[in-house]
Amino acid sequence: MSASGSVTGSAPGAAAGGATAKAAPTSPSARRGHNGPLPQLLVALLCGGYTTGAALGWGSSEVALIMGDFGLAAASATATVSALLYARRVAGQHRPAWLLFAFSSAMLALGNAIWGWYEVVLREPVPQTSAADFCFLMFAPPAIIGLLVLAKRPVSRAGWVCLGLDTWLIGGSLLTLSWILALAHAARWDGPSTARTALSLAYPLLDIVLVSMVLALHFRRSAVNRAAVNTALAALALTVLCDALFTSPLLRAHYRSGQILDAGWFAGAMLMAHAPWVGARVQPQRGPGAPSRTSAGSLTALTPYLAAAICTLGILYNVITGQKCDRVVLITGATVVLALVIRQGIMLLDNISLTQELAQKENHFRSLVQGSSDVIMIAAPTGVLRYVSPAAQGVYGRDPEELVGTELAAHIHPDDLGRVLHEVRRFLATPASEEPATRIECRIRSGRGRDPRERRDGREGPDDWLHVESSVNRYQGGLIFNSRDVTERVRLQAQLQHNASHDPLTDLPNRALFTERVGRALAGRRAGDGRAAVLYVDLDGFKGVNDTAGHQAGDDLLIQAARRLQDALRSGDTAARLGGDEFAALITGPDTGEPGVRESRIREIADRLRTVLSAPYRLEGGEVRVGASIGVAFAEAGATPSEVMRNADLAMYRAKQAGKGQVELYAPQMQSDVLRRTELAGRLHRALHDGEFTLLHQPVVELSGGRITGVEAQARWRSSQGILFTPAEFLRAAEDPDRSLDVGRWLLEQAIEQAALRYGAGHLVPVTVRLPARRLPESNVERLLDRHELPPGGLVLELSGGDPRTAPDELERRLRALRGLGVRISLGGFGGGSGDGYGTGFGTLAALRTLPVDVVKLDRVFTEGLVESPRLHKITGGLLRIAADLGIRTVAEGVDRPEQVKTLREMGCLHGLGMAFSGPLDEHRLRGSLTRGGYPVPREAREARDTREPRETRESPREQVTARSLPLPPRRSNAETPVPPA
């Protein structure tokens, strides 16, 4: 076999190695690779078996010829199939390269097969010039082109020139060395035939070109698939070595196919076939602070000089040995030196350009650093500052030159130093590829603060520390800090956080912060700590101040109350504003002994707060007074903050119910009362919805003659158990103003509707409807009168339940409008509380001065003890004379005994209602009484008590209350009805 076998064995491996690095990332199959131990073991077994067979002579010359020719052809065919299969899996621009590698390997396999055809089949020597030589010559050019396709191409024209010069430097040096050592002898040994000489030189020259290309491109290869490239280079080195040995005239003269030299070509072919399938190994990216590997770069830079040195050494060897330097050596050496000079000139120009670019970039960087508003500092691994940008003067108020050489830790706030050091150590211990940079926020000493020597207390000024945010990067074992002043941002964040947790008016903690502190007090209790107590404070009468004096005065009052509350508490306690005129206080402290002592101390604190908050407040319009109702709740084991605050709120509500201006301690009974009221309120709502309410009327009787002059409408709730509840009972139990409003609307509409029906039946008596004064502006009296066609004179509106929130001007305007229509106005509870369940009474003498009143109702307080008490007799007589002097009709409430009828008649009271005449009646009984025209009036008290009228003439109060037109279950009277249990 000729030297062409060595040439054929070199290309597939080189092509495979060079292409795998480029093509592997483009194909999933290539990325997976066959990097297990089985493929390597199989290649090793094949190469080892072939080497053993060649060393032993294959047992016979026939087998040696077959293995030396067709065995190498099979190895090259394997490389061809491997390249084709890999080309099918590779997408993109790398596929043409692999097709070229497959073609070159196919030429090699065909050449070896032709060689075997002559030696094995025909059993004759291979001709000096045959088709096998053409196939061997057609192998190297596709392989070289494939390498160029896969190479890392230069990006500039100078780069292409340098690539060509480097290739020629390597190739020329190898040509010179090969020519001196072997090629010159091979040219003379092959005889005078020019064709034979060219053919014999073509194989090693192509090997030299191929090796030059591989070496030149090896230093420009990508490191994506280093294992495949190294495998290809190993195969190439083995093939070139075999070619060099075969080129030697001594070994070539005794060469026979199947010898040990063929084992090298076989191993090279198998390695090249395996190279595309070596697993891709992606090199880990090095961080900016990691040391770079400079060996490859140094070898790349020294390659042209090493090539020139090899060429020079070859020429010197030729001179030293006394051999004559032929023209090939001289021309090749001269061109190598010329190429080196040209390359050196290009490199010099390139270095000058790079130096200028580097200087320009350095100036640009210096301008950016010096002109940046951020402070850039470089710290050595020891923590000493090596560089500080000029921005430190404007940001820190410190001279940058004074900071250089000092330790960075000396400028960090002591409270932040530990956190900063911990973050720096953690950052340096983390691989740069995982965390290239980090951020640190701390306080840095500023030089703009007031000098401590100028301060009387000798302490630093308030601006001595700046909040700084720094971006930290690695740099030559040390750190680069890119810092900026974020003091204003930190202050703004602190202010926003403060605003989110504090009341904007009083600057006290708001509900959220107070709840959080209550939770911390509950969670942080230790043995020996006393129970935390929550005080819930509500200002009594604040609404009236806010409505009369204005919202600005109300805000000033709240600010003063908050200041008083905060000053009255200890430093460890917390005062908060929960909203409106509601405040709270958290009292904590060590255990003082018995629970009773603790409760007594908390009550003393609450009493002190109540006294302080009840003191007069000086506002712009003068002094005002408000009270304070305080509820106290202690934190029990397992209680949550919301539960403790709810309990304190319930206790405060109970303090308001007790008369305001009180201090109440929470008791578990309060919670059950709330549940009962809530249940009753729900039942009341369902009763309105289900129609369980009924309307009764109590006659208003003329005391002198017993004639019915009017009726008073009263609502009753007839429960599903058949019990009648009065408004005073169910509304007080429900304690819900909205329920009161709903019942009032229902009462007004039902009373007007039934009065209109009675008017239509000829019973022209007006109906009196009690209406809270605060609900009068919301009532639709005119619309109801129009809808039911009741004359305005048939309605008497009785005002009850005075409320300071009701604007007097609006109330007077509304009353005059109704009176102008013909509706008469009655003032309920004259001289005392109304006792109607709607409110606390509007009956004051001052109301007679401004309000348009037609009728006043004398309160039950003055009628019950009128006969027995001379003092009360005089007071009642005075009230009746006032009404008579004003021309206002009077109606006495609670006339239940004949003695009261006689006494009131003698005192000048004209009308009354009570059990002396009749209790509340349903519509059927009421119409019967109206048909009869009235009730008998007793002349004397004793006579009234002794005289008994027949049952058919006068009904008992119980019968009047319970009688119905329809059968009803047994029930008690309204006087006997208790509040239903929850």
Side-chain angles (χ1 to χ4, degrees):
M1 183 176 182
S2 68
S4 60
S6 65
V7 179
T8 60
S10 63
T20 306
K22 297 290 184 179
T26 63
S27 172
S29 302
R31 283 197 297 269
R32 287 193 297 268
H34 299 279
N35 52 0
L38 185 60
Q40 287 87 339
L41 181 62
L42 181 61
V43 171
L45 289 176
L46 290 176
C47 294
Y50 193 97
T51 303
T52 303
L56 299 177
W58 297 105
S60 66
S61 59
E62 184 71 20
V63 175
L65 289 175
I66 293 175
M67 296 304 297
D69 294 334
F70 292 109
L72 292 180
S76 299
T78 302
T80 302
V81 173
S82 175
L84 288 175
L85 291 177
Y86 194 74
R88 291 184 59 186
R89 298 191 179 190
V90 175
Q93 60 181 355
H94 302 298
R95 178 169 294 177
W98 286 105
L99 294 176
L100 289 171
F101 297 149
F103 177 74
S104 62
S105 297
M107 290 295 100
L108 173 61
L110 182 60
N112 283 321
I114 294 173
W115 195 284
W117 174 264
Y118 283 105
E119 288 190 335
V120 177
V121 178
L122 300 180
R123 296 184 178 277
E124 62 183 32
V126 180
Q128 292 293 328
T129 301
S130 65
D133 296 326
F134 174 78
C135 293
F136 293 145
L137 290 176
M138 287 301 297
F139 161 74
I144 295 174
I145 297 174
L147 287 177
L148 290 176
V149 171
L150 295 177
K152 184 179 179 181
R153 303 173 185 177
V155 295
S156 62
R157 185 179 301 176
W160 282 105
V161 174
C162 288
L163 176 61
L165 292 175
D166 291 342
T167 303
W168 172 243
L169 286 171
I170 298 173
S173 300
L174 293 177
L175 176 61
T176 301
L177 187 60
S178 301
W179 186 270
I180 293 174
L181 296 178
L183 294 183
H185 300 285
R188 290 191 297 270
W189 181 77
D190 284 334
S193 174
T194 303
R196 184 61 185 171
T197 301
L199 184 62
S200 62
L201 293 178
Y203 302 135
L205 290 178
L206 288 175
D207 272 345
I208 291 174
V209 173
L210 187 59
V211 170
S212 301
M213 287 297 303
V214 170
L215 290 178
L217 297 177
H218 168 68
F219 299 111
R220 297 175 179 269
R221 77 187 189 280
S222 173
V224 174
N225 198 350
R226 190 178 298 273
V229 175
N230 291 336
T231 303
L233 290 178
L236 181 61
L238 181 60
T239 304
V240 171
L241 177 61
C242 294
D243 287 347
L245 294 175
F246 181 79
T247 305
S248 173
L250 181 61
L251 184 60
R252 183 176 180 182
H254 302 283
Y255 171 77
R256 296 291 182 274
S257 295
Q259 294 182 348
I260 191 66
L261 188 60
D262 289 348
W265 286 317
F266 182 85
M270 295 306 300
L271 286 177
M272 293 305 175
H274 175 61
W277 308 102
V278 176
R281 300 180 186 176
V282 179
Q283 295 297 108
Q285 296 182 356
R286 293 187 297 270
S292 60
R293 299 179 59 183
T294 58
S295 57
S298 301
L299 186 59
T300 302
L302 293 177
T303 299
Y305 305 99
L306 292 176
I310 292 173
C311 182
T312 304
L313 289 176
I315 296 175
L316 290 177
Y317 173 79
N318 201 2
V319 173
I320 292 173
T321 56
Q323 299 180 13
K324 182 180 179 182
C325 294
D326 55 15
R327 289 176 296 177
V328 175
V329 173
L330 293 178
I331 294 174
T332 304
T335 54
V336 167
V337 173
L338 179 61
L340 181 62
V341 172
I342 296 174
R343 190 183 188 283
Q344 188 65 26
I346 295 175
M347 292 298 298
L348 180 61
L349 295 176
D350 192 28
N351 288 338
I352 293 175
S353 176
L354 289 177
T355 302
Q356 293 176 351
E357 184 178 356
L358 180 61
Q360 183 179 2
K361 290 183 178 180
E362 183 179 356
N363 293 332
H364 181 63
F365 171 75
R366 183 180 296 108
S367 300
L368 289 177
V369 171
Q370 294 181 352
S372 175
S373 59
D374 295 347
V375 179
I376 300 175
M377 299 183 295
I378 301 177
T382 58
V384 177
L385 294 176
R386 292 179 177 176
Y387 172 80
V388 179
S389 66
Q393 183 67 50
V395 176
Y396 298 157
R398 307 282 295 276
D399 188 357
E401 296 181 358
E402 295 179 358
L403 296 177
V404 174
T406 62
E407 291 189 1
L408 178 62
H411 307 288
I412 300 177
H413 196 282
D415 295 342
D416 301 339
L417 183 58
R419 176 172 53 83
V420 173
L421 292 178
H422 174 75
E423 176 63 20
V424 168
R425 294 192 185 108
R426 185 202 63 79
F427 174 64
L428 293 177
T430 305
S433 59
E434 297 181 5
E435 188 175 7
T438 187
R439 287 187 176 274
I440 296 177
E441 188 169 337
C442 62
R443 285 169 287 180
I444 296 292
R445 186 183 300 276
S446 171
R448 293 198 300 266
R450 187 178 300 175
D451 192 342
R453 294 173 296 181
E454 299 177 2
R455 296 172 58 89
R456 295 181 181 180
D457 54 7
R459 292 182 294 182
E460 296 172 340
D463 297 330
D464 285 344
W465 297 100
L466 296 176
H467 290 270
V468 174
E469 183 184 53
S470 302
S471 176
V472 185
N473 296 271
R474 298 174 178 86
Y475 177 73
Q476 295 182 356
L479 296 172
I480 296 180
F481 292 84
N482 190 347
S483 308
R484 62 180 56 188
D485 182 11
V486 293
T487 303
E488 292 300 325
R489 189 195 70 186
V490 172
R491 290 176 180 173
L492 179 59
Q493 290 177 345
Q495 184 64 38
L496 292 176
Q497 185 176 4
H498 178 85
N499 294 342
S501 58
H502 287 76
D503 176 56
L505 179 63
T506 62
D507 203 39
L508 291 179
N510 58 13
R511 183 183 294 271
L513 180 58
F514 184 77
T515 304
E516 179 184 347
R517 292 187 179 180
V518 173
R520 288 204 301 262
L522 296 178
R525 287 180 56 189
R526 301 166 299 179
D529 287 349
R531 292 185 301 168
V534 173
L535 277 61
Y536 211 100
V537 183
D538 185 85
L539 300 182
D540 302 325
F542 171 76
K543 181 65 175 177
V545 175
N546 208 27
D547 292 341
T548 56
H551 291 283
Q552 182 60 45
D555 291 345
D556 293 342
L557 190 149
L558 291 176
I559 293 173
Q560 295 183 36
R563 189 180 301 114
R564 293 182 185 183
L565 180 63
Q566 198 167 22
D567 294 342
L569 295 177
R570 302 167 303 174
S571 58
D573 300 332
T574 301
R577 183 190 177 205
L578 305 182
D581 59 344
E582 295 181 350
F583 295 86
L586 173 64
I587 309 298
T588 57
D591 196 356
T592 56
E594 297 296 330
V597 178
R598 171 75 173 172
E599 293 180 3
S600 177
R601 188 174 67 85
I602 295 299
R603 181 178 283 276
E604 290 177 1
I605 295 175
D607 286 332
R608 185 173 71 249
L609 294 180
R610 181 182 58 81
T611 303
V612 168
L613 294 175
S614 300
Y617 293 86
R618 296 190 61 85
L619 303 178
E620 185 176 353
E623 286 189 356
V624 297
R625 286 180 177 269
V626 295
S629 298
I630 302 178
V632 181
F634 291 93
E636 302 294 340
T640 62
S642 59
E643 292 174 349
V644 177
M645 295 178 64
R646 180 202 62 194
N647 295 341
D649 189 13
L650 292 176
M652 183 273 296
Y653 190 78
R654 181 58 59 89
K656 280 187 168 296
Q657 284 184 325
K660 300 183 180 180
Q662 305 291 329
V663 175
E664 287 287 342
L665 270 62
Y666 171 77
Q669 181 62 30
M670 297 180 182
Q671 181 65 21
S672 61
D673 292 343
V674 171
L675 295 177
R676 182 180 59 84
R677 289 195 302 268
T678 303
E679 181 182 356
L680 187 56
R683 291 170 56 190
L684 180 61
H685 177 73
R686 291 193 298 272
L688 282 170
H689 183 269
D690 297 340
E692 295 183 5
F693 272 79
T694 186
L695 185 65
L696 301 181
H697 294 84
Q698 188 168 13
V700 179
V701 181
E702 188 179 44
L703 297 181
S704 59
R707 185 173 59 90
I708 300 176
T709 60
V711 292
E712 181 178 293
Q714 299 178 8
R716 294 293 185 271
W717 173 17
R718 188 183 303 277
S719 67
S720 57
Q721 292 81 16
I723 302 176
L724 280 178
F725 300 114
T726 64
E729 293 168 337
F730 59 74
L731 290 181
R732 185 182 300 114
E735 293 178 350
D736 190 344
D738 292 335
R739 300 290 175 258
S740 170
L741 176 60
D742 293 341
V743 174
R745 289 173 179 170
W746 178 88
L747 176 63
L748 179 62
E749 183 169 1
Q750 291 296 318
I752 292 177
E753 180 180 1
Q754 295 192 17
L757 295 176
R758 288 194 296 272
Y759 262 68
H763 302 294
L764 307 179
V765 292
V767 61
T768 300
V769 180
R770 294 185 184 184
L771 192 66
R774 66 177 180 273
R775 301 301 185 188
L776 182 61
E778 305 171 6
S779 60
N780 297 318
V781 177
E782 298 90 336
R783 183 176 58 83
L784 292 175
L785 292 175
D786 293 340
R787 181 198 300 175
H788 298 290
E789 298 180 353
L790 176 66
L795 176 64
V796 179
L797 287 180
E798 179 183 326
L799 298 183
S800 62
D803 194 328
R805 291 175 294 182
T806 305
D809 296 339
E810 176 65 19
L811 179 61
E812 181 181 358
R813 185 193 63 79
R814 178 65 172 151
L815 290 176
R816 292 192 182 278
L818 291 174
R819 197 163 182 244
L821 292 176
V823 178
R824 285 177 286 179
I825 307 300
S826 175
L827 184 62
F830 182 61
S834 64
D836 57 5
Y838 290 101
T840 58
F842 197 91
T844 61
L845 297 177
L848 299 177
R849 181 173 61 88
T850 57
L851 299 181
V853 177
D854 300 298
V855 182
V856 294
K857 180 186 287 186
L858 193 63
D859 195 83
R860 182 183 295 272
V861 175
F862 300 98
T863 59
E864 287 181 350
L866 179 63
V867 179
E868 295 80 9
S869 174
R871 182 182 181 87
L872 187 58
H873 189 281
K874 293 180 180 181
I875 296 175
T876 304
L879 294 175
L880 292 174
R881 285 192 296 271
I882 293 175
D885 293 340
L886 295 176
I888 299 175
R889 193 180 69 173
T890 56
V891 177
E893 184 181 14
V895 182
D896 299 331
R897 297 179 296 165
E899 301 96 303
Q900 295 171 320
V901 176
K902 179 181 178 182
T903 304
L904 288 171
R905 186 175 63 243
E906 293 174 351
M907 295 176 65
C909 184
L910 302 180
H911 302 85
L913 71 162
M915 300 302 293
F917 302 101
S918 174
L921 305 174
D922 59 23
E923 187 64 24
H924 176 73
R925 297 293 179 179
L926 175 62
R927 292 203 178 191
S929 299
L930 292 175
T931 302
R932 290 193 298 270
Y935 297 96
V937 179
R939 298 297 180 180
E940 295 179 358
R942 183 178 302 275
E943 179 182 351
R945 286 196 300 269
D946 296 339
T947 303
R948 296 290 183 268
E949 295 181 351
R951 181 176 182 86
E952 61 274 9
T953 305
R954 182 164 181 244
E955 298 170 338
S956 67
R958 180 183 297 272
E959 292 171 344
Q960 295 168 357
V961 174
T962 59
R964 295 279 296 189
S965 58
L966 297 176
L968 293 174
R971 63 184 67 87
R972 292 174 289 181
S973 68
N974 62 305
E976 298 172 348
T977 303
V979 177

